[in-house]
Amino acid sequence: MEKNWEQFPFQAEMMDAYLGGYSGLLNAPTGSGKTFALFLPFLAGFINANPETYKTRQNNGLLMLWITPLRALTNDIRKAMQEACDEIGLPWRIATRTGDTPAAEKQALKKKLPEVLLTTPESLHLMLAQKEYPKLFNQLQVVVIDEWHELLGTKRGVQVELGLSRLKNLASVGSDNRFAVDSLQFAESNGGSGGNANENKNRQLPTAHCPLKIWGISATIGNLEQAAEVLLGDDFPQEQVKMVRANLEKKLDIRSIIPQNIENYSWAGHIGLKLLPEVMEIVAKSKTTLIFTNTRSQSEIWYHAILDNYPEYAGIMAMHHGSLDNELRNWVEAALHAEALKLVVCTSSLDLGVDFRPVDTVVQVGSPKGVARFMQRAGRSGHHPGATSLAYFVPTHSLELLEGAALKEAIKAKIFESRDPMLLTMDVLIQYMVTLAVSDGFKAEDLFKEVKTTYAFADLSRNEFGQLLDFITSGGKTLAQYDEFLKVEVENGVYKVNSRRVAMRHRLSIGTITSELSIRVKWLSGGSLGTIEESFVSKLKPGNTFWFAGRSLEFVRVKEMTAYVKKSNSTKGIIPSWNGGRMPLSSQLAAVFRLKLDEVAHGVERDVEVKALKPLFKLQQKLSHLPQSHEFLIESFKSKEGHHLLFYPFEGRLVHEGMASLLAYRISKIKPASFSIAMNDYGFELLADEDIPIEEALEDASFFSLDNLIDDIQHSLNANEMARRRFRDIAHIGGLVFTGYPGQQVKNKHLQASTSLLFEVFSEYEPDNLLVRQAYNEALAFQLEEFRLRAALQRIQTQNIILKVIERPTPFAFPIMVDSLGREKLTTETMEERIAKMARSYGAEGVAEPAERKSRKPGITRKKGF
């Protein structure tokens, strides 16, 4: 290729490792050329093996399978790979197979596969659900899992583990004879039978035990070695494994946008749009900017606000999030490449791997709640080797500025989140077993041994596997009387699905991504805009106006799971909300946040963010206390609402939810009481009508103890209801409920009723049911983050407890109390009016007043091409 490229040392190391027959994990920062670091060695290997014929068009079959977590990544990578092949004269076709691939292309792929196929975990399992699927992978040489850090710790990651276990098995079975020839050729090329036996032994092909190469690509995470172990499985020989690290220092320029007036009494979310003029000044000075928001609703709000206040950006601004129609997203990505856009408001849909060279600035609205997530987003700017990534941090409330300082500190100290792998996810395994039964079937003992090689199911017992076999064939102990649960039949020891109806419904249900039922949004005149959740559509009446995909839309009607709309000229309208958008503070970022707070308590003011927050911290110290690292702060005061207790673990919302309920329960054992609970990422509040005996509770050594923790959690929380909520997704993934055919989806309330009934039946008649047990385990692990809760309690036990009786809410307390206002629904006042009234009642000065829409201040010089 005539690009005059020079290899980085890690790319040269990757070339040696790949051509040496190794598998492993490539760790490199975004924008460092990690895609070509793996793809070019693969091409070199093929050319070396076919020096005379590599330019001849021939039926090579599928040689490389490239799995990505996002469909949006496949198009960008495909174009880059195709260009590389074309330039060196390789007559190959690089293709994609995802949920967005047209049906005609999918049918064509069944007849003839390209040499390289880019796909997703779900599409890989759909390939495994085809009849005679082993033929698809006869010539497969390597599987690459891109952005492995994003899949690790999710059920999609478990899907990948299971898929790889099957591909490794196919490669081993199909290569026994072929490998014998390969190793003979290798020996002859290195001296033949007359050569040095010891030398040949030392240089033998590492692929002697696993002819299929498996490589993962990962950004930096806290547990890279474990990530490689999970990817390759328990059966992969360690002598065949390499870890290739780029060791490139990604240049980052991170700047916080400091509000002109720091409000001592802030509340979450209100500042963001107040800083719109400052953000647009940055946009005007940049070539192309990505504004990242944490939720789809927030992206719609920001897009609407920019269009409202800066109409000159119409036509050079776009929006990108996961609920928009695929054609719209593809257009945005193509326009970014073509330098036709100056600004894109987006979510995590543009977090990963897509290479947009024109982007020189990233703006992060609100804390990303994780160090790795912020690094990933910042890396979207300056996305090429040696370039500096410029990222601005926009706080949405005053205290969030300290998170900005913590982010910079964590990146400097290279403190990154770990991604803990998921274990024994029985719902994913059930789905996988039926997938294999739908295609060519499986033998129980063979599959058990194969599944045990994965990290996720290394501890699976034969008894548990037997229960799953009973479940898919006879409905288990409870559902044997219902034909719809008898999916798999056993013929001569082979487990197979013979019903075409069962097979079709299963193929439509493959995947582990579960969300509320989505309704497609279409113009009356034709054309799709994307999807919104059923719960939002159910509240609309004909004639209602709402904002979606950056447009003002008038709702017309719903027909066959489609909401039909027409253009509206109204400037007012509600914005859809999507469930599951709120991200908790990561444990690593929380730890650095506490270190920053300790610096504040000791008078250290190195960060611009800390200097800006000085008035807020000064007031906190005056009214209460600034806790040092060895102190744990509790505040107590009385108001007309009742008796308030505020605790500040600074551990994240999910941990605080569990800890608040736990401590409330332990207090109630001293004196019966009813509590209202509110929380944010910094602390939580217990509010009761009567005096709370906190002094007596603190004298009891068991108050923060880990003793009887699980029992106390189950008493303090409605563990049954939490498990029931987790069971909804488990039932969906495990095939207990069918969500419907395309365009004929089952309504969400009906699905909830079905899963709740199943949960009740299992709980009463089959208490040892594996899926019910999984639901309780997931509720503890993911909804309450039990592991982090334990660690937080252990830390608090070593700290000095500072109990402060205060006269009125402090800057730390106020945002937590605001959180509780959102739960009271019966009111005609706006949130801003109610917060201002609450502040006045406490005599709080410097509180955020209702935000006024600001007129445009910064100008934009329209450049040629825009």
Side-chain angles (χ1 to χ4, degrees), residues 19-165:
L19 295 179
Y22 290 95
S23 294
L25 191 66
L26 168 61
N27 166 227
T30 183
S32 61
K34 55 183 182 289
T35 300
F36 281 123
L38 253 170
F39 187 60
L40 294 183
F42 162 66
L43 295 184
F46 182 84
I47 293 171
N48 289 345
N50 304 275
E52 304 296 331
T53 60
Y54 76 90
K55 290 188 177 183
T56 305
R57 188 175 297 279
Q58 50 192 308
N59 188 14
N60 296 305
L62 180 63
L63 303 177
M64 169 182 269
L65 189 63
W66 191 287
I67 298 173
T68 69
L70 280 182
R71 290 177 289 188
L73 295 179
T74 57
N75 289 328
D76 198 62
I77 298 171
R78 182 192 63 78
K79 290 175 185 175
M81 288 180 172
Q82 190 68 64
E83 182 184 346
C85 292
D86 293 346
E87 288 197 10
I88 60 177
L90 260 180
W92 281 10
R93 185 166 64 99
I94 315 296
T96 62
R97 191 203 189 284
T98 70
D100 293 333
T101 305
E105 286 186 34
K106 290 179 181 177
Q107 287 300 320
L109 287 172
K110 285 184 179 180
K111 296 176 184 177
K112 184 180 180 181
L113 283 170
E115 284 82 1
V116 180
L117 183 66
L118 296 112
T119 190
T120 59
E122 294 78 17
S123 289
L124 169 61
H125 279 245
L126 279 167
M127 293 171 73
L128 296 177
Q130 294 178 211
K131 297 294 184 184
E132 300 183 338
Y133 68 88
K135 292 181 180 178
L136 301 175
F137 307 108
N138 273 345
Q139 305 302 319
L140 187 64
Q141 296 177 4
V142 59
V143 183
V144 177
I145 314 299
D146 203 357
E147 309 286 357
W148 174 233
H149 59 283
E150 287 293 327
L151 292 166
L152 182 64
T154 69
K155 290 184 180 180
R156 298 182 80 205
V158 176
Q159 266 190 302
V160 171
E161 290 184 63
L162 290 169
L164 288 176
S165 72

Side-chain angles (χ1 to χ4, degrees), residues 227 289 682 771 844:
T289 302
Y682 309 138
L771 297 182

Side-chain angles (χ1 to χ4, degrees), residues 57 137 175 286 355 407 419 444 486 488 508 546 634 641 717:
R57 188 175 297 279
F137 307 108
S175 65
S286 304
D355 180 9
L407 276 169
R419 298 297 298 264
L486 315 184
V488 179
L508 289 171
F546 67 98
I634 304 172
E641 283 80 26
L717 290 158

